[in-house]
Amino acid sequence: MLSGAVDPAELVALAERVARSAGALLLQRPTDLGVSTKSSPTDVVTVMDRASERLLVDGLLEARPDDGILGEEGGERSGASGVRWLLDPIDGTVNYLYGLREWTVSVAAEADGEVVAGVVHAPALGDTYAATLGGGARWNGDPTGVGSAPELAQTLLATGFGYDSAQRARQAAVIAAVLPRVRDIRRIGAASLDLCLLAAGRVDAYVEQGLQPWDLAAGGLIASEAGARVEGLRGAPAGEALVIATRPELFDALHSLLVGAGVDTLTTGGTS
Ligand code: IPD
């Protein structure tokens, strides 16, 4: 049972504090990243993902010892407070591996299963995004909102692909059918950052299938608090099956485009 004393403003401040510490650690990128693989040969983890997660978990539990944790790199712990933290210690690990700057530390707090606070910190870009449920979204401390809605044909659409080869082929087929109908696509390589770019009006929409809770939680809250509609297919909540995020005025047109492009094949595993 969640204590009425949980204050999203306190949670977001703590999230930002630990995310900044992890970001500072990650900027000290060692030459040997100690790379190993996870779900597929292209799904990598480095010693820095693990060190970042350890630092996040230690910082959060020091401040709030009764909270639960779910971290991408295995940190899982049930808590008694009703608050659970969803952690992606490096979102965009492949970018980090290659020395690209588009990676983040993503920290979100759920209270009784609902995301109430989120921070996406991109230290190599100098950008930090944060939101509390009902409290709006901020980009480097200032209020931020999604940009004005373009026509579908003028939409800059961010997207991403999973690590399983067969699923990637299906995802690529859907995007191939979408591409001629929009301005262009961007594959930036960090889902949390894609959602924050939408929140900052730097892309018009974002679509991806296969996200895990730690990829989606903080960025999803930031995008919706910035005015985006963030949902799955046919009114389902956004989640692993699909995330469609864009300005509300553009949502239905994008949803129809995706259905016409065969987005249902992503969840059924079909070919058409
Ligand atoms: C990945 C990135 C990528 C997205 C993948 C995610 P990771 O997270 O967010 O952009 O396309 O679906 O798994 O593995 O770098 O934490």
Side-chain angles (χ1 to χ4, degrees), residues 40-57:
S40 82
T42 51
D43 183 8
V44 291
V45 60
T46 72
V47 290
M48 296 306 278
D49 293 74
R50 297 202 171 99
S52 172
E53 184 160 307
R54 246 187 334 270
L55 197 150
L56 293 173
V57 171

Side-chain angles (χ1 to χ4, degrees), residues 38 43-44 49 72-73 88-95 103-104 159-163 168 171 187-194 206 208-212 214-215:
K38 300 195 288 182
D43 183 8
V44 291
D49 293 74
E72 179 178 16
E73 306 313 337
D88 196 336
I90 305 181
D91 184 29
T93 300
V94 173
N95 285 346
W103 50 270
T104 77
T159 191
F161 306 98
Y163 292 112
R168 280 188 159 200
Q171 291 171 335
R187 198 298 190 241
I188 286 161
S192 59
L193 186 59
D194 291 318
Y206 166 67
E208 186 161 350
Q209 183 261 335
L211 291 192
Q212 297 303 306
W214 47 78
D215 297 312

Side-chain angles (χ1 to χ4, degrees), residues 63-86:
R64 299 184 50 91
D66 296 330
D67 290 355
I69 302 272
L70 179 65
E72 179 178 16
E73 306 313 337
E76 188 162 6
R77 163 189 206 274
S78 53
S81 65
V83 171
R84 181 173 74 150
W85 295 92
L86 301 169

Side-chain angles (χ1 to χ4, degrees), residues 7-267:
D7 177 2
E10 273 175 35
L11 298 177
V12 84
L14 174 59
E16 183 161 345
R17 181 152 59 79
V18 294
R20 283 185 181 280
S21 306
L25 172 81
L26 292 168
L27 286 173
Q28 314 300 312
R29 189 170 167 277
T31 321
D32 181 1
L33 285 169
V35 182
S36 48
T37 58
K38 300 195 288 182
S39 64
S40 82
T42 51
D43 183 8
V44 291
V45 60
T46 72
V47 290
M48 296 306 278
D49 293 74
R50 297 202 171 99
S52 172
E53 184 160 307
R54 246 187 334 270
L55 197 150
L56 293 173
V57 171
D58 290 351
L60 292 168
L61 293 183
E62 191 186 327
R64 299 184 50 91
D66 296 330
D67 290 355
I69 302 272
L70 179 65
E72 179 178 16
E73 306 313 337
E76 188 162 6
R77 163 189 206 274
S78 53
S81 65
V83 171
R84 181 173 74 150
W85 295 92
L86 301 169
L87 309 176
D88 196 336
I90 305 181
D91 184 29
T93 300
V94 173
N95 285 346
Y96 187 77
L97 178 65
Y98 278 77
L100 299 172
R101 295 182 304 155
E102 288 77 11
W103 50 270
T104 77
V105 179
S106 175
V107 178
E110 277 178 353
D112 286 342
E114 182 173 32
V115 180
V116 297
V119 168
V120 172
H121 179 47
L125 298 173
D127 286 320
T128 305
Y129 303 86
T132 51
L133 185 63
R138 294 191 167 262
W139 172 17
N140 290 340
D142 294 324
T144 188
V146 290
S148 54
E151 298 294 308
L152 188 60
Q154 303 304 324
T155 294
L156 184 60
L157 174 69
T159 191
F161 306 98
Y163 292 112
D164 175 75
S165 176
Q167 188 68 341
R168 280 188 159 200
R170 289 188 283 271
Q171 291 171 335
V174 172
I175 289 299
V178 167
L179 182 55
R181 305 280 309 280
V182 296
R183 180 191 295 274
D184 206 346
I185 60 163
R186 291 290 179 271
R187 198 298 190 241
I188 286 161
S192 59
L193 186 59
D194 291 318
L195 285 157
C196 291
L197 293 175
L198 171 64
R202 290 161 135 185
V203 298
D204 299 313
Y206 166 67
V207 171
E208 186 161 350
Q209 183 261 335
L211 291 192
Q212 297 303 306
W214 47 78
D215 297 312
L216 173 63
L221 178 67
I222 292 163
S224 61
E225 286 295 325
R229 182 168 164 191
V230 183
E231 266 178 43
L233 265 188
R234 302 182 184 91
E240 186 173 2
L242 195 68
V243 178
I244 307 172
T246 188
R247 276 189 73 97
E249 306 90 286
L250 190 60
F251 188 93
D252 289 342
L254 181 58
H255 185 285
S256 302
L257 173 61
L258 290 163
V259 169
V263 78
D264 288 289
T265 62
L266 300 180
T267 43

